[in-house]
Amino acid sequence: MPGKRSSRGSAKGRAARKSLSVGGWIAVLTTAVVIGTSLTAYAAYYDIYGNIEQQNINTDAFGDRPSRVEGAMNIMVIGSDIRTGENGEYGEAEGQRPDTLIIAHISPNNGRATLVNLPRDLMVDLPACEGQGDTAGMPAQRGMINSPMSLGGVQCQWKAVETITGVHIDHFVSVDFTGFKGIVNSLGGVRMCIPEPIDDPKAKLHLEAGEQKLNGEESLGYMRSRYGQGDGSDVSRIERQQEFLGAMLNQVMQGEILSRPSTITGFLSSVTETMTTDDELTLEVMTDLAISMREVDLGNINFVTAPNGADPTDSNRLALSQPQASELFETIAKDQSITGDDGGKGGGDGGGSGEEKAQVEPGDISVEVLNGEGTPGLADQVGQWLTTEGFQVANTGNPVQVPAQTTIYHGPGKKAHAQALADEAVNATVEENPNLGDTVQLVLAQDWDGFTSTAGESSGGGAGGVDGTTAKEAKQQCG
């Protein structure tokens, strides 16, 4: 559809990119740490802080670690799917593994926060790691990004995330299903717009359509529900999860939760009862972070998912899409804005300076769209979208050879033109072809996943090609 991500590209991306089953809700823990520690002035907070279980993490055992940027903080947020105790009603699971894994990048000096979802089905090269507690540890191997937790505990999961992303992790926060329900109930529920009736027995969720307030059990079901909503994919589910988290953050930060000691106390008691952190995430650290982040606008809290596509060796698993994933991680590691509002662009060859890009408008770019993805009519559909965005579409057709990744080929002196087009795509790499003239070629491969314009303002900036939204955009009402 013009102005939208191509239907085939979108559907294919949703089917291939199995993302998160509990999803973005876990990031509220980081927000609770940020906004809740303003309760320091009340003696009750010290009792609440005592609710938190803490672990010692020996980061010295990691060896060489990514550099840390002064003034920024990165928290590894874990949604545990351990099914013991009160969580047993949600089924059985082997060991303890992250059902949700997020890097929460908090930048007080710049007044923003970015939460990067790392899909649990990502296949990555995992580093060797010594075990923690009763775990044996693991040798270096290729496996799912969430497997180090069950093999070597939080310490191995921490090391793996740092190694894979190149982002220095300062702390970790973990919570389970029961903890999430308690958080929602402490808020008195979260108001959401349910566009269509939901009947999902697997998630124990039955809701009528319309605007309504979800309690803790309903909210957990909404986060876990997959087949009862949308197209049944994890990608569509993560979009709903971001909407829910946006509604929750709006309610916490703009409602009465922070206005009275009694409501803050109840909220934080629920947050901390099932929370585990590292022992260096102290009361003083939380307090300093909260004070510096109290005035952050919801529009500067961004939610994104690490760019990914189907793993070449297993269609049921995912692989990071490059160079987009590396660009995103480097942007976070350098404490730059993913929206490009501070002039930063993370990683990769970038494709020209900001000055060069500013001189290239869509109307200056002649594009040939070649369909190597295989869906009939996809090149015409993409060409129509580009035309509505002001690009000059010279031709559509099929390529002689199909690259492994969606690629934009350009002739000598046209790199900035190709990069400007690449910035509009979720996943496209740039490569020079000396035989081309003024027209660049967009060759759609099997990993084609549409355009970033459908993902909100946060997707079009510094990291290039990253799906995302902001807490302010996620706020929704019916009608």
Side-chain angles (χ1 to χ4, degrees):
M1 294 176 60
K4 297 288 186 182
R5 181 181 297 180
S6 64
S7 60
R8 175 65 180 114
S10 179
K12 178 178 176 57
R14 291 192 181 105
R17 291 187 300 160
K18 241 176 143 180
S19 229
L20 309 168
S21 64
V22 174
W25 62 261
I26 189 66
V28 77
L29 296 175
T30 305
T31 305
V33 171
V34 173
I35 62 179
T37 49
S38 58
L39 187 61
T40 307
Y42 305 105
Y45 181 69
Y46 291 90
D47 293 331
I48 294 170
Y49 181 72
N51 292 340
I52 302 174
E53 179 183 342
Q54 294 193 313
Q55 294 185 17
N56 176 261
I57 305 296
N58 181 21
T59 54
D60 291 338
F62 294 178
D64 293 335
R65 300 180 63 197
S67 299
R68 184 179 186 278
V69 177
E70 191 67 30
M73 182 177 293
N74 299 306
I75 301 175
M76 180 177 68
V77 187
I78 296 171
S80 171
D81 73 346
I82 189 168
R83 308 292 173 85
T84 58
E86 293 183 51
N87 294 305
E89 62 182 288
Y90 300 105
E92 297 180 357
E94 296 286 337
Q96 182 175 355
R97 56 185 178 175
D99 196 66
T100 300
L101 192 59
I102 291 173
I103 297 176
H105 174 71
I106 303 172
S107 184
N109 293 341
N110 297 300
R112 62 172 181 258
T114 303
L115 298 117
V116 182
N117 290 273
L118 302 174
R120 63 179 185 174
D121 286 346
L122 279 174
M123 296 297 292
V124 293
D125 293 326
L126 300 167
C129 182
E130 297 178 2
Q132 183 183 30
D134 297 332
T135 60
M138 64 181 194
Q141 59 186 281
R142 185 165 179 80
M144 289 171 59
I145 196 170
N146 70 344
S147 59
M149 185 82 166
S150 58
L151 298 174
V154 175
Q155 188 161 296
C156 280
Q157 190 66 63
W158 188 322
K159 180 180 180 181
V161 170
E162 280 199 345
T163 301
I164 294 160
T165 65
V167 174
H168 181 99
I169 302 298
D170 298 287
H171 302 287
F172 89 90
V173 175
S174 176
V175 79
D176 59 24
F177 289 164
T178 302
F180 172 67
K181 292 194 299 183
I183 293 170
V184 174
N185 286 333
S186 72
L187 297 174
V190 173
R191 187 164 295 281
M192 288 289 293
C193 174
I194 308 300
E196 297 178 354
I198 302 172
D199 184 13
D200 189 344
K202 289 186 176 180
K204 301 182 180 180
L205 183 64
H206 307 278
L207 297 174
E208 298 297 327
E211 187 172 345
Q212 55 197 285
K213 183 173 286 188
L214 306 185
N215 62 27
E217 188 70 42
E218 292 168 335
S219 296
L220 179 58
Y222 185 80
M223 294 294 95
R224 299 178 67 233
S225 174
R226 176 177 175 181
Y227 300 105
Q229 301 186 68
D231 62 5
S233 73
D234 275 328
V235 172
S236 66
R237 175 166 53 186
I238 198 172
E239 294 172 355
R240 295 191 299 272
Q241 291 161 351
Q242 289 175 339
E243 290 176 353
F244 181 92
L245 182 56
M248 185 183 238
L249 292 180
N250 273 276
Q251 192 164 318
V252 171
M253 299 181 75
Q254 298 182 356
E256 298 182 354
I257 296 298
L258 304 182
S259 64
R260 297 192 304 272
S262 59
T263 55
I264 299 176
T265 302
F267 175 60
L268 286 186
S269 292
S270 297
V271 170
T272 58
E273 280 176 355
T274 55
M275 179 187 289
T276 303
T277 73
D278 60 284
D279 58 9
E280 292 189 3
L281 187 55
T282 63
L283 177 62
E284 289 74 22
V285 172
M286 292 182 185
T287 302
D288 290 343
L289 188 61
I291 292 172
S292 61
M293 289 291 288
R294 279 182 302 189
E295 303 302 321
V296 172
D297 187 271
L298 289 172
N300 291 327
I301 300 177
N302 294 281
F303 307 105
V304 299
T305 301
N308 60 82
D311 181 40
T313 62
D314 185 349
S315 60
N316 294 317
R317 294 289 180 257
L318 306 176
L320 291 170
S321 297
Q322 299 296 357
Q324 292 83 4
S326 293
E327 290 179 352
L328 172 63
F329 296 147
E330 187 170 350
T331 300
I332 297 298
K334 291 182 177 180
D335 190 27
Q336 296 174 342
S337 170
I338 66 167
T339 62
D341 55 12
D342 62 1
K345 182 176 177 64
D349 59 16
S353 67
E355 183 177 351
E356 284 179 305
K357 289 171 61 179
Q359 298 173 0
V360 181
E361 299 294 335
D364 299 328
I365 303 173
S366 176
V367 186
E368 181 181 25
V369 183
L370 302 179
N371 180 16
E373 194 271 348
T375 302
L378 181 58
D380 290 337
Q381 189 177 34
V382 171
Q384 290 172 6
W385 187 93
L386 290 172
T387 298
T388 65
E389 295 299 305
F391 291 87
Q392 302 298 313
V393 178
N395 187 34
T396 60
N398 299 310
V400 176
Q401 291 183 323
V402 181
Q405 291 181 302
T406 295
T407 304
I408 301 173
Y409 296 97
H410 65 88
K414 295 296 180 179
K415 184 176 183 179
H417 291 66
Q419 188 61 49
L421 177 57
D423 287 345
E424 296 293 328
V426 170
N427 55 332
T429 188
V430 172
E431 184 176 326
E432 181 170 347
N433 180 345
N435 296 320
L436 290 179
D438 293 337
T439 297
V440 300
Q441 285 184 343
L442 168 58
V443 182
L444 311 177
Q446 289 295 311
D447 66 339
W448 170 247
D449 199 22
F451 297 101
T452 63
S453 298
T454 61
E457 294 177 0
S458 65
S459 63
V466 180
D467 285 333
T469 188
T470 70
K472 181 175 290 185
E473 291 167 340
K475 183 179 181 181
Q476 50 149 292
Q477 292 181 339
C478 291

